[in-house]
Amino acid sequence: MDKLVIEGGVKLKGEVVISGAKNSVLPILAATLLTDDACIIKSVPNLRDTNTMFKILRSLGKVVEYDGGVVTVTSGKSINYIADYKLVSTMRASICVLGPLLGRLKKAKVSLPGGCIIGDRPVDLHIKGIRALGADVHIESGYVVAGAKKLKGGHMYLGGVYGSSVLATDNVMMAAVLASGKTVIESAACEPEVADLAEFLIKMGAKIKGHGTPIIEIDGVKHLHGATHTIIPDRIEAGTMMLASLITDGDILVKNVCFRHLGALIDKLEESGAAIIKTDNSLRVRKRKQLRGVTITTLPYPGFETDMQAQMMSLMSVVPGTSLFTGRIYPDRFMHVAELRRMGAQIQREGPHAIVEGEKYLSGAPVMASDLRASACLVLAGLAARGKTSISRIYHLERGYENIEEKLQNLGARVWREKE
Ligand code: UD1
């Protein structure tokens, strides 16, 4: 296993180009199961998670080729309806093959992904949604087993205790596009990645309206065809790089971003004291004045994204004042707190809240990554800290950040990989 070593204290400067969005590409790859025609997906990041999805598609009978960020998915043998535990257990997002398998084959057996370090992650909304399309669904020996003679459009409310669900909305959309009649999803997730999936499905011949809003309407069609699509930029990678600029008192031009997808983060950073200049598809990020602590509540889009909470906490650990974090999507997503404390951060936990008192500086320490975004949080802390930080278990980072070492090195960071 590798660890990442960072010598902190360099002000990062220069340009960085953001890769395609991991959370878009995974369901879009799954959607290729809805046709036998070739699909071409561009701007696909080379990540551990995308490679896992390639393996899942191959295990289900697809031929997947990847070259220079472009994936071509074609049909090999007939499609298998069982997604097995060995693959699914390595990536929770694999649950998004449930909808397309059911839509296409009218049956699906997908291993339940199981627990997760960021908190309980149930699948009740996925099940509620596909039941509303007329499918029988039950859990058997660790699998979600779904089947229907015929899928029929349905009207459903998909809001849960923590709001809407991204992958449940994706799954229902992918099952409903080939159902007969009209489906209405109320309290649908509005995340840009859900809208990107809908755009891909529309290119395949699906009839979808309202994506990107809480009410999505789908008119089922008999058949979908192949399509070519370019994945939207990864807003979480963009946000992480914006914070890399601020936490090192640097000046970075973050290229290939969509401003609209970053509204909540930009607003909080400007409130804190950042100067964010928008030009074409780029954002130049630096300090306008001494940054101050802010109040952050994670919420479904367009609220502040849960996937940026840990990274934002690193930044707030080194700015004057008090910051209050509240997790409304994953109230237990605070595994990074103990590691940040090892570096000198002053953070108190209280239920779904964390209170951060900004310190003058953090000091490098050996720390351990617990999940994808917690790893990014530790990288940011290491970039700002005095001395050397070594982050073990960085395979988490490889799940969601393409070439992160190289990108940071190009900005001047002293970062390298060592064997543990
Ligand atoms: C997606 C993202 C993930 C992000 C999360 C929340 C992908 C591949 N992953 O995950 O990076 O952190 O959205 O923005 O897109 N819930 C239920 N019942 C369900 C499903 C979810 O109660 O059936 C709850 C979850 O526990 C959580 C909230 O709903 O509290 C949102 O989860 P959800 O949007 O489903 O997350 P994912 O789609 O798995």
Side-chain angles (χ1 to χ4, degrees), residues 23 120-126 162 165-167 307 329-330:
N23 287 354
D120 183 23
R121 295 180 78 175
V123 292
D124 56 309
L125 295 172
H126 300 245
Y162 299 105
S165 161
V166 172
L167 289 175
D307 286 352
I329 297 184
Y330 298 112

Side-chain angles (χ1 to χ4, degrees), residues 173 185 188-190 194-195 198 202 208-218:
M173 270 202 306
I185 310 174
C190 303
V194 176
I202 290 168
I208 304 176
K209 283 192 302 199
H211 45 294
T213 80
I215 299 183
I216 298 180
E217 292 181 10
I218 302 155

Side-chain angles (χ1 to χ4, degrees), residues 199-211:
E199 290 297 337
F200 177 61
L201 293 169
I202 290 168
K203 287 180 187 167
M204 295 175 84
K207 293 195 173 145
I208 304 176
K209 283 192 302 199
H211 45 294

Side-chain angles (χ1 to χ4, degrees), residues 130-168:
I130 56 179
R131 274 194 182 135
L133 301 176
D136 276 329
V137 193
H138 61 278
I139 307 288
E140 192 181 289
S141 310
Y143 282 79
V144 183
V145 184
K149 278 215 174 72
K150 193 172 173 243
L151 287 180
K152 282 200 297 215
H155 194 122
M156 67 195 76
Y157 180 81
L158 268 199
V161 180
Y162 299 105
S164 53
S165 161
V166 172
L167 289 175

Side-chain angles (χ1 to χ4, degrees), residues 148-415:
K149 278 215 174 72
K150 193 172 173 243
L151 287 180
K152 282 200 297 215
H155 194 122
M156 67 195 76
Y157 180 81
L158 268 199
V161 180
Y162 299 105
S164 53
S165 161
V166 172
L167 289 175
T169 305
D170 288 348
N171 261 332
V172 173
M173 270 202 306
M174 290 189 277
V177 283
L178 289 177
S180 65
K182 190 182 188 93
T183 295
V184 177
I185 310 174
E186 282 185 45
S187 195
C190 303
E191 270 69 3
E193 295 78 15
V194 176
D196 202 26
L197 169 64
E199 290 297 337
F200 177 61
L201 293 169
I202 290 168
K203 287 180 187 167
M204 295 175 84
K207 293 195 173 145
I208 304 176
K209 283 192 302 199
H211 45 294
T213 80
I215 299 183
I216 298 180
E217 292 181 10
I218 302 155
D219 279 310
V221 296
K222 287 221 159 59
H223 159 94
L224 294 181
H225 50 74
T228 299
H229 186 74
T230 302
I231 299 294
I232 56 170
D234 195 305
R235 62 195 166 108
I236 308 302
E237 188 199 0
T240 305
M241 289 299 177
M242 289 163 71
L243 297 195
S245 183
L246 294 171
I247 204 167
T248 63
D249 196 9
D251 187 349
I252 299 181
L253 186 68
V254 188
K255 297 173 93 168
N256 188 36
V257 295
C258 182
F259 314 138
R260 261 191 315 119
H261 300 168
L262 287 159
L265 178 67
I266 291 174
D267 182 62
K268 278 294 157 192
L269 293 179
E270 285 179 338
E271 180 188 331
S272 175
I276 299 177
I277 301 162
K278 302 172 187 174
T279 43
D280 301 327
N281 294 331
S282 307
L283 287 171
R284 182 176 174 195
V285 184
R286 63 203 154 106
K287 279 186 190 164
R288 178 167 50 82
K289 58 178 187 182
Q290 173 62 58
L291 300 185
R292 308 290 307 176
V294 288
T295 297
I296 305 278
T297 302
T298 63
L299 290 167
Y301 185 82
F304 192 93
E305 39 286 84
T306 173
D307 286 352
M308 282 303 301
Q309 180 257 108
Q311 301 91 310
M312 192 71 173
M313 198 174 288
S314 292
L315 177 64
M316 290 302 129
S317 297
V318 287
V319 308
T322 306
S323 296
L324 172 64
F325 286 79
T326 304
R328 289 261 184 263
I329 297 184
Y330 298 112
D332 293 322
R333 191 176 195 173
F334 289 110
M335 297 301 289
H336 46 284
V337 166
E339 302 304 301
L340 285 177
R341 280 196 197 123
R342 290 177 58 75
M343 300 177 72
Q346 290 296 325
I347 308 171
Q348 295 300 318
R349 269 285 316 273
E350 182 65 53
H353 309 288
I355 301 145
V356 182
E357 295 293 345
E359 283 292 303
K360 279 216 169 61
Y361 64 90
L362 297 179
S363 50
V367 288
M368 194 182 286
S370 56
D371 68 76
L372 169 57
R373 305 307 170 188
S375 333
C377 138
L378 296 174
V379 170
L380 292 176
L383 290 170
R386 292 184 180 171
K388 202 188 267 186
T389 297
S390 63
I391 308 171
S392 51
R393 302 200 179 166
I394 53 141
Y395 53 86
H396 289 294
L397 199 62
E398 295 159 359
R399 286 191 38 223
Y401 289 89
E402 186 177 43
N403 297 334
I404 186 150
E405 281 151 82
E406 204 183 309
K407 287 184 181 183
L408 291 172
Q409 283 162 355
N410 289 340
L411 294 166
R414 290 184 296 238
V415 49

